[in-house]
Amino acid sequence: MVRAVARFGDDDGDEDRQLRTDALPAMRSARVRVRLMVLSGPDAGHSYPLAPGRYRVGADPGSDVVIADRAVSRSHLLLDVREDSIQAVDVGSRNGSFCEGMRFTTLEVRAGAVLTLGTTELKLVPEGEKAHALPLSNRERFGNLVGQSRRMREVFTLLERVAQGESDVLIQGETGTGKELCAEGLHLHGARSKGPFVIVDLAGVAPQLLESELFGHVKGAFTGAQADRAGAFERAHGGTLFLDEVGELPLEVQPRLLRALERRQVKRVGANDYRSVNVRVVAATHQDLEGAVKANRFRGDLFHRLAVLRATLPPLRERPEDIPLLIDTVLERMGKPPSALSDQTRALLAQYPWPGNVRELRNVVDRVVSLGESALPDMPDAPRPRPAPSPDVNNPEDTLSLALELPFKEAKERLIEGFERDYLRTLLERCGGNVSKASREAGIDRVYLRKLLRKHGLVSGPD
C-alpha cells in the first residue's frame, strides 16, 4: 500500500524524513515547533520536523518515526508535542527509554534534550536553531579532560576545531567542571603548544593589584613596586593567557582589558609606552555573563570580544555515565589500581549529584582511598540515624567508639557527620573564614559549601 507523505517546515535543504499524513491529519497546516534529529544509530543524520501532535516512534514500519535499530521495540516511544511542552512516554519497550542517562517511563522533555532508544540517540532541537549536530569525537580525552559520554564527545569535537585557530575563547561551566583543564587542552593541541601557558585567577587577586598582575608595572609605580615587573600578557607572549573567573573583573579594569584584547598592546602601570604582545586569550567563568551585561555589571563590548568562540562544559550530573571512567582516571593518577574502590562504593558515587562536579569527585575519591568509606559524602535520601547520645565532638576516638556500637548504616552516617564537621572546621580555619576561598580549595560549589556549614552550625544566615 502506498501512503501519502508530506514535509513540514521551511525548505532549508535538510534531509527531512517523510512523515505519514494519514496518521496526523491535524498537523498538515500546523507550524513546526521542533525537529527530532538522529545523532547516532542506523538512522544517524536524519531529521524529522515535528509540528504539535502525537508521534509514535519505533521499529514498526507503520510508526510515524521509524527507527531501524534492532535494539528498538516495534512500538517504543510516544512523543506528545504541544504548543509549550513536549512529553515523552515509553510504551512498554523491552530495552527502555533514557534521557541524559536516566531511564524514564513518562517525562516532560526540555528542548535540547537527548533521548536514547537502544543504540540510537535522538535530539530535540527547537525550530530556528541550527539543525546540524556536531559529529562525535572518537577520543575519550582532550588534554586532561576525560569523558566518553555523548555530551563530552561533542565538546571534544568542538575543542578540536577551536584549538586550531587563534581567536579568543570563552569557556563557561559550573565550578569544578574542568575549565582550567579545558584551557590547557586548547593550548596543548594548538599551534602555541611550545609557548608559555600563563594562568591568572582574577578572583584571587586583590582589586588594587589586578592591573599590575595583567599588564605589569615599572619600578616606583606604587608603594612596594621595587623593580620593573612584566604582567601576565607579556609573560604569555608567544603562548596562551588563561583568565580564570573573568566575571570577577571589576568594571574599572574592564576598559583596559578590552584595549589589550583589541590591539594586543599593553602598558605597564606607571609607564608611558605600550608594548606589543602576541597571545591567545582563553577566559573562563561560572557566571552568566550575558545576564551580567544586562545588569550593567559587565561591559557588553568586552563580553563579545572575549566570546569570539565559546565552549560550555556540562555539569557531572548531566553525564553520569562518565563517573566510572573519571574514578579510574583519578585512581590511575594516584598510582592506585581500580580495585582500590569496591563495587559498592562505586555504586554510591555513581548516584551522588556532585554539586562540586569533577573536582569534588576527585577530592572524594582521594579521601575515600586514604581514609576509607567513612569519607563518603552525605548521600541524598540516605536514612536518618536514630537519636543517640552525642559524642564529644572534640574527641574522634569517642565518635568512633560510639559508631562501632551502632548498626552499619547508622555508624557510617555518624562517622560521615563527624568527618564533615572536622573537615569543614579545619578548612574554615585554614582559609581565615573566607567561604569563597574555602570553596575553591575544597573543590565544592560555594552554595553547597554554605549549606554544609549551616548544617553543622559553623555559619549562620539564610540560604
Side-chain angles (χ1 to χ4, degrees), residues 356-374:
N357 292 297
V358 180
R359 184 184 298 158
E360 184 187 8
L361 172 63
R362 183 183 65 232
N363 292 344
V364 168
V365 171
D366 194 335
R367 292 200 299 269
V368 171
V369 170
S370 301
L371 303 176
E373 286 197 357
S374 63

Side-chain angles (χ1 to χ4, degrees), residues 36 55-59 63 65 67 74-77 79 117 122:
L36 184 68
Y55 299 80
R56 290 182 292 114
V57 182
S63 299
V65 177
I67 305 295
R74 289 177 62 83
S75 181
H76 197 115
L77 190 73
L79 285 177
L117 316 182
L122 307 170

Side-chain angles (χ1 to χ4, degrees), residues 77-78 82 87-90 97 103-109:
L77 190 73
L78 177 67
R82 306 164 185 167
Q87 185 181 71
V89 180
D90 184 283
S97 301
R103 187 166 184 168
F104 69 88
T105 301
T106 301
L107 182 70
E108 289 290 333
V109 186

